[in-house]
Amino acid sequence: MTAHTPRSLTQRVRNRIEAGDMDRLADEAMKAVVANKGYWGAGWEHLLDELRGLPDPGRLSFAHAFTARFHALAEDADARPNALALLGMVAPDASEALLAEARRQELDRLGHRATFWHASRFYVLAEAELNSGRPLPPPVIAVFRRSAMDTYCGDDMLAMARRLTDPVLNVGEAWAERAMADADGHDDRQALLRYALTATASKPTPKWDEGAHEVVDALGADRVRTAVLGWLALVGRPRTIELERQTYEPDVNNAFDAYNANALRGLAWLLSLLPPRPEAARALGALVETSLRKTAGIGPRSPKVANAGVIALSRVDSESALAELARLATRVTYKNTAKLIDTALTARATALGLTREEIEEIAVPAYGLTEVGSAEHRLGDAAALVGVQGGRAVLGWRNATGRAVKSVPAAVRTAHADELKELKASVKDIDKMLTAQSERLDRQFLARRTWEYDAWRERYLDHPLVGTLARRLLWTVDGTSVGFADGELRTLADTPVTRGTTVELWHPVGKETAEVVAWRDWLERHQVTQPFKQAHREVYLLTDAERATGTYSNRFAAHIVRQHQFNSLAAIRGWRNKLRLCVDDSAPPATRELPEWGLRAEYWIEGDGHAYGEDTTESGSYLRLRTDQVRFYPLDAPENLAPCYGGEYTMWLRDGRDPVDPLPLTAIPPLVLSEVLRDVDLFVGVASVGNDPTWQDGGPDGRFREYWTSYGFGELNQSAETRRALLQRLVPRLAIAEQCTLEGRFLHVRGERHTYKIHLGSGNILRSPHDQYLCIVPKSATGGTDGNRTAQTGYLPYEGDRMLAVILSKAMLLAKDTEITDPTILSQL
């Protein structure tokens, strides 16, 4: 319909009114309903004014004629709610008499939508329903409330939303429905929820806190804590009422209800006003992480709820709250929330006269551990044994006679239920903190950190929790390399080192090969499994090709990587990246800022393909990226930008700034170059489509077949070479050692049916004869396979190499190929 149509339609309507022809007038009105698609605004108001101006008998006659045409519409016609809205605006009394049931049906349908645009005038239907004395269904109230939160919402919509005060929260979320059920019949809990909804600002004000204290005093701090913790435990559960989602629309069913989100923010702030408890800090930390989980088409579910959790933790003066902030600092990558966490930790550090790094170190609690990695808790006559094994906490038991038992003693379950619950929660806390601290330590190589010896022993080596990691790493004490074994720091010659002045984290860059190999032998001799690669860490030295290119490295260019996996890995490793959408937009490269070195590393990437649905998600983000150069710039250099769909990067020059050239690779410190390239190798090694065994067909239209083959069976990268070196020592110890040989890029495994070649980079398999491809998909992140066999490898020198576990698991499976029962694998043998 053209821009002039409403005006010409209005004239035709006037002509029908003057002629008294209500049937043809109804025809014209129905045409308008279909044409305006429910947006009664601008020129359409003139049409509505003409119809409203009909005398009462004329309006009634029009209503009957229009109703007859309404009944001719299909049951699922988009025009039905628009027609109901028009009749409600023109002849509300007649609408109630003629189409009340149809109105209720459309309102019920409306209850399955996330929001609607205010110009569609659904509030007319709601007003008619309320004026008839019938309440709106709770799902419909939820839709109105969410829609009224739109920035461009009309006054009529806002007025309608203000009338809808019951139920207190929106239905559809498990936590909200539990909260309303708990508050049913309890005025004090109703008041608690209603006050939580007033948390509409970004942070609590003194006035808000004053009102919150009154609500808490009326209910009691313990009752408030118990209720709120029970509700927060349900946040993020699947919706109880599924909402309609159109193709390419955001995944509204995994997002937070925007109206209820204000209440969550208020509940988080309320918790921060109560006497501190570990379970409250734990719940707030979980709320932050749950709120930041990504949802298709939306991004983080609810940054404002995550920020509220951080603000609440920052207002609690307790060890457990500080520990949660320190843990979140290693996990949160969403920029605004990460900035809030950094601000909170910096403020706490300043108050204590510490550096930002030091506050993270002292923030790690012992979680009840009395020795490094162990504790015993008496619960009646039984003993609970908490221990750290590798990167996990385990809980064991001894009964009243001192005998080890596998399950919780019955007396503990009945007489010490609360202590048992807290103990199990602490074990989970230890697991989370071990992961966070391992990742923090792995980032310390580029932090240029040194420690005073006594402080280092207290915060690292002898700390009950961090010590379980620090004692499995190598350190440099006053220039002497040391590891921890048999209760002491020891040199390569096992000479004890009992004192020192300055401590640094050991790194293989700049070390002689003989020293690196000697430390690997030392770790094996003492059966030390490192929490991540250190002695076996890949070292990336400058190549002749990179010296020739001068300012960039092509070592990891021309790869095809899964975008969302790449993005997650980059965030974990401290890189900043923007998801590429298949739109006309620009984005900077994946970037890691290195303020300690005054440098910025960049990995240039671009979206791959242009077909929506095939090369993108439903929300339009690219499924895959193409990779290009790695470059280094001064930290304060202007930002580079390139079109998301591909094209040349150019420097964005603002405020008259001059362009800045990339730095020569020869000027980059070897440690920085090695660690940055190691990150990029990780991104490619994990996210490349080449290591996906299901991509044998080359993906969409087979266009990646050549890349998949070259990557999946080609030359080994640095991490795969490290894996090969380890397998040379490991394979002879396996139960299937006589069936295995290492040749070039492959682990050869001799089975009963065939001989197999497992690529040491991708884990892809070729079988005899004629190197036929064999597809075996890893069953889980732990490295199992669909053949229901896992590798029993004994000692490993480091944790975290999933591909190593996959390769060993496949080798174990194929060595006994006559015992395979999986039909998918058997069909290929």
Side-chain angles (χ1 to χ4, degrees):
M1 205 165 199
T2 67
H4 299 290
T5 300
R7 184 177 299 174
S8 58
L9 177 60
T10 301
Q11 186 58 55
R12 292 200 302 273
V13 165
R14 287 173 181 165
N15 294 340
R16 306 309 178 212
I17 291 174
E18 290 175 5
D21 191 342
M22 293 300 115
D23 285 328
R24 296 187 68 182
L25 177 62
D27 287 335
E28 296 291 356
M30 187 58 74
K31 288 178 184 177
V33 164
V34 174
N36 76 357
K37 301 186 185 300
Y39 296 99
W40 298 104
W44 300 111
E45 290 291 343
H46 299 300
L47 167 65
L48 294 173
D49 289 341
E50 294 294 334
L51 295 174
R52 290 190 189 109
L54 284 168
D56 289 345
R59 273 190 292 157
L60 182 60
S61 177
F62 166 78
H64 281 281
F66 189 78
T67 299
R69 283 148 182 81
F70 175 86
H71 288 308
L73 293 172
E75 284 292 324
D76 59 350
D78 293 337
R80 286 175 63 88
N82 306 337
L84 289 167
L86 180 141
L87 194 58
M89 288 183 282
V90 172
D93 294 337
S95 174
E96 171 61 23
L98 298 172
L99 293 174
E101 181 59 31
R103 183 180 66 235
R104 284 192 289 274
Q105 291 174 356
E106 290 305 323
L107 284 172
D108 285 340
R109 290 193 183 108
L110 179 65
H112 289 281
R113 293 172 62 171
T115 59
F116 61 87
W117 180 236
H118 75 274
S120 59
R121 304 290 178 92
F122 271 109
Y123 65 84
V124 175
L125 278 62
E127 284 179 344
E129 194 71 359
L130 293 172
N131 292 339
S132 69
R134 289 184 293 270
L136 295 177
V140 176
I141 292 174
V143 178
F144 272 96
R145 286 170 169 171
R146 291 192 294 265
S147 300
M149 298 180 75
D150 189 280
T151 304
Y152 302 101
C153 181
D155 292 339
D156 292 326
M157 176 78 81
L158 289 172
M160 170 58 65
R162 292 191 190 102
R163 293 175 59 183
L164 305 175
T165 57
D166 289 309
V168 60
L169 299 175
N170 280 353
V171 296
E173 291 185 317
W175 82 265
E177 292 181 2
R178 171 67 63 80
M180 289 188 288
D182 290 347
D184 189 27
H186 300 277
D187 291 343
D188 48 6
R189 293 195 176 192
Q190 286 277 350
L192 173 69
L193 292 175
R194 291 194 185 281
Y195 194 76
L197 278 167
T198 65
T200 55
S202 59
K203 59 183 179 180
T205 63
K207 184 178 180 180
W208 192 92
D209 282 348
E210 182 180 342
H213 279 298
E214 293 178 4
V215 172
V216 171
D217 291 343
L219 193 58
D222 289 340
R223 292 178 65 197
V224 171
R225 182 186 299 106
T226 300
V228 173
L229 292 182
W231 302 336
L232 294 187
L234 300 177
V235 173
R237 296 276 183 92
R239 283 188 59 85
T240 60
I241 300 174
E242 188 170 355
L243 301 175
E244 294 176 355
R245 180 190 178 199
Q246 302 299 318
T247 304
Y248 303 128
E249 283 187 346
D251 185 3
V252 292
N253 285 299
N254 277 314
F256 282 9
D257 186 295
Y259 184 82
N260 290 346
N262 281 339
L264 283 176
R265 180 159 54 185
L267 293 175
W269 294 348
L270 278 164
L271 271 185
S272 70
L273 298 177
L274 306 180
R277 294 282 183 82
E279 60 267 31
R282 191 179 299 132
L284 289 170
L287 180 66
V288 173
E289 291 187 287
T290 300
S291 303
L292 292 179
R293 285 180 189 150
K294 298 288 184 66
T295 297
I298 294 175
R301 287 166 156 179
S302 182
K304 74 178 185 181
V305 173
N307 293 348
V310 172
I311 290 171
L313 285 168
S314 69
R315 292 180 359 136
V316 177
D317 186 13
S318 74
E319 180 187 77
S320 54
L322 182 58
E324 279 298 316
L325 285 171
R327 185 183 67 82
L328 290 170
T330 69
R331 305 295 295 166
V332 170
T333 58
Y334 183 68
K335 188 174 182 180
N336 291 340
T337 306
K339 185 177 179 180
L340 272 180
I341 295 169
D342 183 70
T343 299
L345 287 172
T346 300
R348 191 70 61 90
T350 301
L352 296 174
L354 301 172
T355 66
R356 172 68 171 74
E357 292 78 11
E358 287 176 317
I359 197 67
E360 282 196 43
E361 293 169 354
I362 70 166
V364 184
Y367 294 113
L369 299 173
T370 53
E371 302 291 338
V372 175
S374 66
E376 179 176 323
H377 301 275
R378 300 297 304 185
L379 280 75
D381 293 332
L385 308 175
V386 179
V388 175
Q389 297 179 3
R392 292 191 58 99
V394 295
L395 181 59
W397 295 92
R398 284 203 301 263
N399 62 17
T401 66
R403 183 170 62 87
V405 292
K406 292 183 178 180
S407 58
V408 181
V412 173
R413 293 184 185 276
T414 55
H416 302 277
D418 290 340
E419 296 100 310
L420 176 62
K421 180 180 178 182
E422 181 58 31
L423 185 60
K424 288 183 175 180
S426 293
V427 169
K428 291 182 180 178
D429 287 344
I430 292 172
D431 274 345
K432 291 180 181 178
M433 187 57 85
L434 281 170
T435 300
Q437 292 303 309
S438 179
E439 291 173 356
R440 184 179 70 85
L441 281 165
D442 198 10
R443 295 182 194 174
Q444 293 302 303
F445 292 110
L446 285 176
R448 307 188 88 170
R449 286 279 280 137
T450 60
W451 294 268
E452 187 271 328
Y453 181 83
D454 290 336
W456 169 76
R457 285 212 64 130
E458 178 186 355
R459 298 172 190 172
Y460 285 88
L461 201 67
D462 298 331
H463 188 281
L465 185 141
V466 182
T468 66
L469 302 170
R471 291 185 176 192
R472 295 189 284 140
L473 293 173
L474 302 178
W475 303 86
T476 301
V477 177
D478 295 340
T480 300
S481 301
V482 297
F484 189 89
D486 300 324
E488 297 279 2
L489 287 172
R490 299 182 182 275
T491 66
L492 267 174
D494 281 336
T495 303
V497 175
T498 58
R499 291 297 307 166
T501 303
T502 305
V503 181
E504 295 178 272
L505 193 58
W506 185 92
H507 193 284
V509 162
K511 304 295 190 298
E512 295 292 335
T513 302
E515 180 186 349
V516 175
V517 172
W519 274 115
R520 292 177 181 179
D521 292 338
W522 187 93
L523 291 171
E524 185 174 340
R525 186 168 72 251
H526 290 287
Q527 294 289 285
V528 175
T529 297
Q530 298 200 289
F532 46 81
K533 290 181 185 177
Q534 187 188 25
H536 292 77
R537 203 171 189 85
E538 298 83 8
V539 173
Y540 297 79
L541 303 177
L542 206 60
T543 64
D544 290 340
E546 288 160 344
R547 289 189 179 90
T549 55
T551 58
Y552 61 89
S553 169
N554 274 329
R555 200 183 306 198
F556 301 104
H559 287 281
I560 309 296
V561 297
R562 293 175 287 269
Q563 170 166 222
H564 293 83
Q565 193 171 18
F566 171 89
N567 192 59
S568 297
L569 288 167
I572 290 171
R573 295 298 301 168
W575 290 66
R576 180 167 49 88
N577 184 52
K578 178 181 177 181
L579 282 175
R580 267 63 175 169
L581 298 176
C582 190
V583 294
D584 187 12
D585 191 15
S586 296
T591 301
R592 182 169 182 181
E593 295 183 348
L594 304 165
E596 298 85 356
W597 303 87
L599 297 172
R600 183 181 79 217
E602 295 185 353
Y603 190 24
W604 289 10
I605 52 178
E606 63 183 45
D608 173 77
H610 302 288
Y612 261 79
E614 183 175 280
D615 296 317
T616 72
T617 64
E618 289 184 355
S619 59
S621 61
Y622 281 107
L623 291 171
R624 293 168 293 275
L625 302 171
R626 291 183 178 271
T627 68
D628 203 344
Q629 303 172 3
V630 174
R631 293 190 178 207
F632 292 86
Y633 288 86
L635 184 63
D636 59 353
E639 188 174 53
N640 285 308
L641 293 171
C644 292
Y645 50 78
E648 184 178 358
Y649 275 92
T650 55
M651 194 162 275
W652 187 24
L653 302 176
R654 294 180 294 176
D655 305 323
R657 298 188 65 183
D658 294 325
V660 176
D661 292 331
L663 295 168
L665 295 181
T666 53
I668 307 303
L671 174 62
V672 175
L673 180 70
S674 183
E675 284 297 299
V676 166
L677 293 181
R678 184 176 184 272
D679 277 354
V680 176
D681 195 356
L682 170 71
F683 304 157
V684 172
V686 174
S688 172
V689 300
N691 60 28
D692 187 338
T694 65
W695 271 58
Q696 181 190 10
D697 61 357
D701 302 322
R703 66 178 189 264
F704 303 115
R705 187 177 290 112
E706 183 177 349
Y707 170 75
W708 182 85
T709 301
S710 65
Y711 182 92
F713 299 104
E715 296 298 323
L716 302 182
N717 60 14
Q718 195 66 38
S719 60
E721 289 287 1
T722 300
R723 192 175 300 128
R724 188 183 192 285
L726 176 59
L727 284 168
Q728 285 179 322
R729 304 172 69 119
L730 187 63
V731 167
R733 306 173 195 163
L734 299 177
I736 60 170
E738 293 185 357
Q739 297 171 256
C740 298
T741 55
L742 273 170
E743 297 180 20
R745 305 187 295 269
F746 296 92
L747 173 63
H748 293 244
V749 181
R750 188 176 68 257
E752 295 290 331
R753 298 171 181 265
H754 303 280
T755 297
Y756 308 91
K757 295 161 59 177
I758 307 174
H759 190 261
L760 302 180
S762 66
N764 289 335
I765 306 168
L766 299 173
R767 71 164 179 84
S768 64
H770 311 307
D771 282 348
Q772 298 179 61
Y773 177 66
L774 174 61
C775 179
I776 299 180
V777 181
K779 189 175 184 180
S780 69
T782 58
T785 70
D786 286 338
N788 301 319
R789 235 176 237 285
T790 56
Q792 301 297 319
T793 59
Y795 167 77
L796 291 175
Y798 53 81
E799 299 169 354
D801 188 347
R802 179 178 178 268
M803 185 55 69
L804 175 64
V806 168
I807 290 169
L808 290 171
S809 181
K810 289 181 177 181
M812 292 289 190
L813 173 74
L814 296 171
K816 299 183 182 298
D817 55 4
T818 56
E819 298 178 15
I820 294 174
T821 58
D822 186 282
T824 303
I825 300 175
L826 285 175
S827 66
Q828 302 175 76
L829 298 179

